[in-house]
Structure formats: structure tokens, C-alpha cells
Amino acid sequence: MDARGNILYLVVPCYNEEDGLEHAAGVMAEKLERLMRAEKISQESRILLVDDGSRDNTWRIISGLCGQDSLFCGIRFSRNYGHQSAILAGMMKARLHADMAVTIDADLQQDIEALDQFITCYQEGAEIVYGIRNNRDTDGWFKRMTATCFYRLLELLGCHIIPNHADYRLLSRAALDALAEYGEVNLFLRGLIPAMGFPSDVVYFDVKKREAGRSKYTLGKMLSLAADGITSMSIRPIRLITVLGFLVSLFSLGMIIKCLTDWVLGNNLQGYTTTLLVSLSLGGLTLFSLGIVGEYVGKIYLETKSRPRYIVDAVIWKDAASGPGKEHG
Ligand code: UDP
Ligand code: MG
């Protein structure tokens, strides 16, 4: 097979990463240079740092790196839009220049040495290569437990995601172009990318401890990612509500018949506890169901407004720096 185009863009989302970014960028640059020397990737390859609206010195560090070394380029969001938006923006920017883009976290938890295997899979014809973690030892029990529950729940709801795959992955230009066709605001990449099809492959890697700074994924962000994941990939929860409603109606019909018969027979002794339990549980169930439907209505609301998914307010591209208010996607 002819070798495929080999311009690689490494897309790195950064949110308040001032503690470890300089070191991480150095490690990444060194790796890319080694790959260039081995002629595995083109000299035109770049590291694209995406500042997701950090409130610390992250952007200053990115600007410095871009000034020192033309290997780096950077974009900055107008505010914090979240990890998923940051990698999307990076990939959409990279798509215009790269043959392949690899997304990787800024904290060096994902083993950068696995890049060789990603590139080999790509050269062998894969359009998408998923990085899969070998271990979860670096996560606390809470994160491990919530992650397992989340994967199980998604699977149960009919959304196929790759277990133990976060966002360390390679997309070829063809896959990036396909991804660009999805205009939805509720973009859940881990569900959507496998749903695109394409020949794909997997690479296993070891997860390391975060080298500097703290995890930027708060519990709130994790829960919102989970809710977005479920509601953007599956309408099964609404169907379940319909089934539940049907079952409760059947039960009610039975109860009505029983009550009427008791009344006719004159032995309709009323139970306080039963009444209370039934009305409380039905009240809870109704509100919960309404909440689920509400989630979807909210999603429709966001989609119909079709607001930009992120706003880029500064770009440092190759040598040319550009000012604010340029792009959105
Ligand atoms: N991140 C981001 N925006 C956010 C939260 C996180 O761009 O709102 C980035 C963060 O800088 C890091 C990556 O996403 O590069 C993964 O975050 P983190 O390492 O904190 O998550 P964890 O590994 O704990 O799941
Ligand atoms: Mg991390």
C-alpha cells in the first residue's frame, strides 16, 4: 500500500494547566521531533494547544511556546466551554491542514509513546484509532465506580461506546471531514465517533498519574457529561417512561376494578398507608419522568437556537498572530 499523507496535528485541550503545561509541551515536542527524524510524520506536523477559557496563566504559556517554536500553534476560547468543545475546535482547525489529528490531554496521563502505534494503525488503513487504557489504577474508587456505572447505563440504553476509551484517539482527514458534517450542539464525541463507522483500530496504553495540577473534571462536569451522553445518543429513556406509564396504568385498572368490587360487596375498608404510599410513589415517578422528558425538551431548545458551540477569541497560527473575535463553530 502507498504510504498515506503523514502530517500529524496533536490537539491538546488545556484548562487551567499552568502548573504542568510547559513540561508537558516539552515532552510532546520532543516526541514529535523524534517521529519527524524517523520520518514517520511530516515536518509540517504541529502541536495545537487549545485554551478552554483558562483563568490562570495558561494562555500566556501557550503564547510563549508559540513564539519560541514554530512547532506550536494555539487557539483560545472566549470562556470555558468544556473539554469536548475544546477537542472539537482543535480537530476542526487541524482538519484544514493535517492528514491525521490525535487528541491527547495536557496532563501527560495518556502515554505519548503510544503515538507510534496510532500512526502505524493509520498507515495500515484505519481512519479512526481509539486509545484504550490498560488500567484504572490512577483513578480513585469513586471515579472508577462512576465510570463503570456510566458505561453500563449507556450500553443498556443502546448507545455503543468503546469501554475504557476516553478522548485519546486519532482521526484521519476523512473521519474529520465526516465529523464536521455533524452540526449538533449536543456533541458527545465518545458516542458519536464510533457511530460514524469507518475502518478503525485500537491501541492499548498505560495511564499515568497526573504530573501537575489537579483534575479539571469536577463531579458536576462528570455528571453533565453523562447526562449529555445519554440524552444526545439515545431516546430510550423516553420509551422506558412510556412503558412504565403503561404498566402503571394496567396496575391502576386492576386496582379500580378491585375497589369497585369491594364497594359493591360492602367491604371497602380504606387503608391510610396504602393510599399514602401509592400517591407518594406515583408523585415521585411522575416528577422524575417529567424531568427526563424535560431534559430532551431542553436539548431541542438548545438545538433550535443553534448557537455556536464555542467562540474562539484568539488564534496563534504558524507565525501570524491574530486578534479577538474571529471564529466560532
Ligand atoms: N479540560 C478542558 N476543559 C475543561 C476541563 C478539562 O479543556 O473544562 C482539559 C484538561 O486541561 C485536560 C483534559 O481536558 O487536558 C482532561 O482533564 P483532566 O485531566 O482534568 O481530567 P481527568 O484526567 O481527571 O479525567
Ligand atoms: Mg487527566
Side-chain angles (χ1 to χ4, degrees):
M1 185 200 297
D2 284 348
R4 307 173 75 188
N6 63 352
I7 305 178
L8 168 75
Y9 269 59
L10 201 60
V11 172
V12 190
C14 312
Y15 179 54
N16 294 343
E17 296 286 2
E18 64 178 4
D19 292 336
L21 188 57
E22 236 154 9
H23 169 67
V27 173
M28 289 173 186
E30 202 252 330
K31 176 69 190 169
L32 250 65
E33 276 152 14
R34 258 190 287 143
L35 287 168
M36 283 177 190
R37 279 198 297 276
E39 293 184 357
K40 286 195 172 170
I41 58 170
S42 153
Q43 298 287 333
E44 290 165 59
S45 301
R46 294 280 177 277
I47 298 174
L48 171 54
L49 302 164
V50 184
D51 178 1
D52 183 12
S54 300
R55 267 164 291 160
D56 62 1
N57 278 318
T58 300
W59 183 245
R60 210 160 305 147
I61 295 171
I62 294 177
S63 310
L65 287 165
C66 296
Q68 283 161 21
D69 189 344
S70 62
L71 185 63
F72 291 101
C73 40
I75 57 181
R76 183 182 70 187
F77 282 175
S78 59
R79 65 164 167 85
N80 179 232
Y81 280 91
H83 176 228
Q84 298 279 297
S85 299
I87 55 182
L88 177 71
M91 288 191 293
M92 291 303 104
K93 190 82 185 156
R95 175 173 85 94
L96 310 170
H97 309 270
D99 296 308
M100 54 184 149
V102 173
T103 46
I104 186 168
D105 289 349
D107 55 12
L108 292 179
Q109 282 194 277
Q110 299 156 330
D111 185 11
I112 187 118
E113 293 304 323
L115 267 184
D116 300 70
Q117 287 162 269
F118 277 90
I119 295 163
T120 308
C121 294
Y122 163 80
Q123 289 296 358
E124 284 170 357
E127 303 289 349
I128 304 174
V129 186
Y130 301 100
I132 297 187
R133 49 200 296 172
N134 281 326
N135 55 341
R136 279 199 165 266
D137 312 341
T138 53
D139 289 343
W141 68 269
F142 184 72
K143 188 144 190 162
R144 248 183 286 174
M145 188 195 64
T146 45
T148 314
C149 291
F150 177 54
Y151 288 132
R152 291 257 165 80
L153 188 65
L154 271 181
E155 210 47 57
L156 218 68
L157 294 173
C159 164
H160 301 294
I161 51 171
I162 318 264
N164 292 323
H165 159 67
D167 289 290
Y168 189 17
R169 74 171 89 75
L170 177 148
L171 263 69
S172 70
R173 166 113 39 108
L176 290 170
D177 286 345
L179 184 63
E181 297 289 316
Y182 290 79
E184 58 211 74
V185 178
N186 302 296
L187 206 68
F188 181 61
L189 294 169
R190 289 179 209 177
L192 203 139
I193 291 177
M196 291 198 310
F198 286 114
S200 65
D201 214 332
V202 297
V203 163
Y204 292 89
F205 68 94
D206 289 331
V207 182
K208 300 186 202 141
K209 275 212 169 350
R210 205 174 217 286
E211 297 211 355
R214 282 188 299 120
S215 171
K216 308 300 177 309
Y217 257 98
T218 54
L219 181 63
K221 276 189 177 166
M222 263 179 358
L223 288 176
S224 117
L225 181 72
D228 281 349
I230 293 166
T231 50
S232 71
M233 296 306 295
S234 165
I235 56 159
R236 218 171 264 188
I238 300 193
R239 296 238 171 92
L240 287 178
I241 291 176
T242 315
V243 173
L244 205 67
F246 180 70
L247 293 178
V248 173
S249 305
L250 272 187
F251 175 73
S252 311
L253 194 68
M255 287 302 280
I256 289 171
I257 295 171
K258 182 186 177 303
C259 289
L260 284 179
T261 339
D262 281 352
W263 181 67
V264 170
L265 297 178
N267 49 0
N268 54 337
L269 235 187
Q270 287 304 314
Y272 168 74
T273 317
T274 325
T275 321
L276 196 71
L277 283 183
V278 168
S279 56
L280 279 182
S281 53
L282 278 186
L285 212 65
T286 315
L287 279 182
F288 180 63
S289 307
L290 208 63
I292 294 182
V293 177
E295 272 291 317
Y296 286 92
V297 176
K299 290 274 141 77
I300 300 169
Y301 173 68
L302 291 176
E303 292 296 344
T304 50
K305 284 198 291 189
S306 63
R307 288 186 175 172
R309 291 175 287 197
Y310 50 82
I311 295 174
V312 174
D313 83 345
V315 180
I316 307 177
W317 200 256
K318 308 267 159 74
D319 311 307
S322 56
K326 290 289 179 329
E327 298 175 29
H328 51 79

